[in-house]
Amino acid sequence: MKIYDVVIIGGGPSGISCSYHLKRKNIDHLIVEKYEMLHTWKNERWDSFYLVTPNWMTNLPGVDHLIPYDNEFMSRAEIEHVLMEYLYFVKPMTLENTSIQSVDKIKDYYQLNTNNGLIYARNIIVATGLFNQPFTPKISDLLPDTIHQIHSKDYKNPSQLVEGATLVVGSGRSGVQIALEVKETLGCKTYLSVGSSTPLPVVYKNINGVFWLNKLSGYHDEKKLLTYSHDDLNNKNIIDKLNQNLYHCQVEGVEIVGRMVNVIDGKIEFSDDLRKILDDGHLYLERLESMINDLVHKEDLPVQENVPFDLKDVNYDILKPLTVLDLEKEVIKNIIWCTGFKANYKWLTLDVFDDEGELILVDGISTSEHVYFCGMDLKPDPNTKSSFGVGLYALVESAKRAVDKVISDMESR
């Protein structure tokens, strides 16, 4: 019976990065992937998807030379190519198309019960991502069958939509980008429902705002900082990406409405507090910028004044949000749910959860069992209300932290 020192659950960039670090320590391990390696990046991104992090923030040891050190953004095809090169470089031992149904503790090792038989491991690293199951609110059940509903996970391009108007629910970067694409491509009436507003500075102190979220999330092992230059003002790739915001939704004719709160008698009801939602977003942004300023002072970071990108905010003067939308009258035929993802660890049948089903982590990485998690320790201050360090910039460090903890525990047993 083969018992692996480590079994990694998840064949995405996080799992591959764990393998990279385990190989450097000559530790026997296996990656178990539910579908094919890099499935999410190959199959769950829309065609016009671009990373939210500039090229210089992508950190993939061994293939970094393939990534330009600049402020442009990689397309879906470009990042898929780089990730495949990373997979080929690391060459991990993998078991694809294998779903884990349960995990049992047997003496000093674990039995993973899968659709492809039993797998045994002394340690488990969960690298499936913090939020790995698409979330669609219950209100979707109230919609008539005539409405074509699709989650952003399954959205590829506007050709999937039925002829008629479209409502996009969720004003994060995915929602904004998809709403703009639908409006610009199809020219149909397009609505964007804004449920909350916790914006990230697009550019702050001459650095992309995602960098600051990573710093606030506890990320440390960054590359040399790359600030914006005046040449970036003339780069269409950069300008187009930075301008994917609510202001440009307004300019392009996307109608912004409040939180979707009910569906009754063929009508969708929205909250009447859109302006307050946006005002709260401005206050949140001020708090976030204050935290960034404290961080800059504390770490003496080399920052400078902003290059003037002239990134505009929502025009309140023309903001007259609807509170009721008649599905039949407005010919609403499509709803795209850009409502994010939630955690799903139902397969992890060990005593590592509290009474409310939340993971109990000893140190942000490990549990009371020999089960470890990537990314959980890179959470920001609770006031930022955001997920852990964003993108491939923080991911490799998160994997290394998990591997280091596994090795430390193995040596102390």
Side-chain angles (χ1 to χ4, degrees):
M1 182 179 71
K2 168 71 172 179
I3 303 178
Y4 293 95
D5 286 331
V6 180
V7 166
I8 303 162
I9 311 300
S14 222
I16 298 169
S17 295
C18 285
S19 178
Y20 169 83
H21 293 296
L22 287 168
K23 276 196 163 191
R24 290 167 65 87
K25 297 293 185 179
N26 295 314
I27 294 177
D28 182 39
H29 64 280
L30 172 72
I31 295 179
V32 177
E33 166 55 42
K34 185 176 182 179
Y35 302 106
E36 62 177 325
M37 294 293 289
L38 296 171
H39 166 81
T40 298
W41 289 89
K42 292 177 181 178
N43 302 290
E44 297 181 6
R45 299 290 186 271
W46 57 94
D47 295 346
S48 63
F49 174 87
Y50 278 78
L51 284 181
V52 299
T53 47
N55 289 335
W56 72 272
M57 289 191 196
T58 300
N59 181 21
L60 298 173
V63 298
D64 260 6
H65 63 282
L66 300 176
I67 307 167
Y69 194 79
D70 58 30
N71 274 305
E72 290 193 11
F73 298 87
M74 274 188 278
S75 67
R76 172 183 172 174
E78 289 169 331
I79 188 58
E80 183 179 331
H81 170 73
V82 170
L83 289 175
M84 288 301 295
E85 290 293 331
Y86 188 44
L87 176 61
Y88 295 148
F89 172 76
V90 176
K91 293 183 177 64
M93 181 181 293
T94 65
L95 186 59
E96 298 179 289
N97 301 306
T98 301
S99 58
I100 298 172
Q101 294 145 2
S102 62
V103 179
D104 297 322
K105 179 72 174 291
I106 301 176
K107 297 181 180 179
D108 62 342
Y109 60 90
Y110 300 97
Q111 176 177 287
L112 287 71
N113 307 296
T114 83
N115 62 312
N116 280 329
L118 303 177
I119 302 171
Y120 301 96
R122 299 194 185 283
N123 302 277
I124 298 171
I125 297 179
V126 181
T128 55
L130 275 179
F131 307 109
N132 46 49
Q133 178 174 306
F135 170 72
T136 301
K138 286 291 185 182
I139 197 172
S140 63
D141 296 336
L142 302 178
L143 291 161
D145 294 338
T146 54
I147 303 298
H148 175 54
Q149 301 186 56
I150 186 171
H151 191 275
S152 61
K153 177 184 80 70
D154 299 309
Y155 172 82
K156 302 302 179 188
N157 57 63
S159 69
Q160 294 172 282
L161 304 182
V162 177
E163 184 176 352
T166 296
L167 168 64
V168 179
V169 181
S171 60
R173 298 195 181 198
S174 297
V176 168
Q177 182 177 337
I178 290 174
L180 283 168
E181 178 176 67
V182 170
K183 181 62 179 177
E184 293 168 1
T185 303
L186 300 181
C188 63
K189 187 67 177 177
T190 305
Y191 301 86
L192 178 63
S193 173
V194 178
S196 62
S197 183
T198 51
L200 182 71
V202 180
V203 178
Y204 192 66
K205 293 189 178 296
N206 210 34
I207 303 175
N208 187 277
V210 177
F211 165 80
W212 297 114
L213 180 56
N214 279 308
K215 289 297 291 184
L216 292 172
S217 299
Y219 185 86
H220 297 294
D221 190 24
E222 70 272 1
K223 299 178 179 179
K224 181 182 177 182
L225 295 181
L226 181 64
T227 57
Y228 284 102
S229 71
H230 285 273
D231 289 342
D232 291 330
L233 292 170
N234 300 313
N235 189 312
K236 189 175 186 302
N237 173 284
I238 294 171
I239 295 299
D240 286 353
K241 184 65 180 178
L242 296 184
N243 276 309
Q244 288 175 345
N245 53 33
L246 292 179
Y247 171 78
H248 272 80
C249 285
Q250 280 189 313
V251 170
E252 296 299 327
V254 174
E255 188 160 346
I256 304 172
V257 296
R259 180 184 295 105
M260 188 175 175
V261 294
N262 200 8
V263 180
I264 186 169
D265 296 331
K267 298 179 177 66
I268 299 178
E269 298 178 354
F270 301 99
S271 64
D272 61 358
D273 59 348
L274 177 59
R275 293 197 180 204
K276 182 180 184 304
I277 290 172
L278 297 176
D279 286 339
D280 288 346
H282 293 146
L283 293 174
Y284 163 80
L285 190 56
E286 289 176 7
R287 292 196 301 270
L288 196 59
E289 289 176 351
S290 176
M291 294 171 65
I292 293 170
N293 291 336
D294 291 343
L295 187 66
V296 169
H297 177 73
K298 178 181 177 181
E299 298 193 14
D300 193 26
L301 296 173
V303 295
Q304 58 193 65
E305 293 302 314
N306 288 332
V307 171
F309 281 100
D310 192 28
L311 301 173
K312 294 182 173 65
D313 198 1
V314 173
N315 185 346
Y316 275 38
D317 293 337
I318 62 172
L319 190 66
K320 298 177 181 178
L322 297 171
T323 55
V324 177
L325 194 58
D326 189 309
L327 292 170
E328 184 175 354
K329 182 179 178 181
E330 301 301 329
V331 199
I332 305 296
K333 295 296 184 181
N334 308 281
I335 294 185
I336 304 174
W337 297 102
C338 297
T339 43
F341 298 77
K342 62 181 181 180
N344 180 11
Y345 301 121
K346 290 181 180 178
W347 54 269
L348 187 55
T349 50
L350 295 172
D351 188 19
V352 293
F353 301 93
D354 62 21
D355 293 338
E356 296 183 357
E358 296 295 323
L359 276 169
I360 302 173
L361 295 174
V362 176
D363 48 15
I365 299 173
S366 58
T367 66
S368 56
E369 299 286 347
H370 301 307
V371 180
Y372 306 79
F373 287 79
C374 286
M376 302 293 277
D377 61 324
L378 289 176
K379 291 183 178 179
D381 185 290
N383 291 328
T384 62
K385 301 178 183 177
S386 185
S387 60
F388 74 107
V390 174
L392 303 178
Y393 190 46
L395 186 146
V396 174
E397 178 177 331
S398 169
K400 185 176 186 302
R401 292 183 185 190
V403 169
D404 285 348
K405 180 60 179 171
V406 170
I407 294 171
S408 174
D409 288 354
M410 287 175 63
E411 291 174 345
S412 64
R413 287 174 203 165

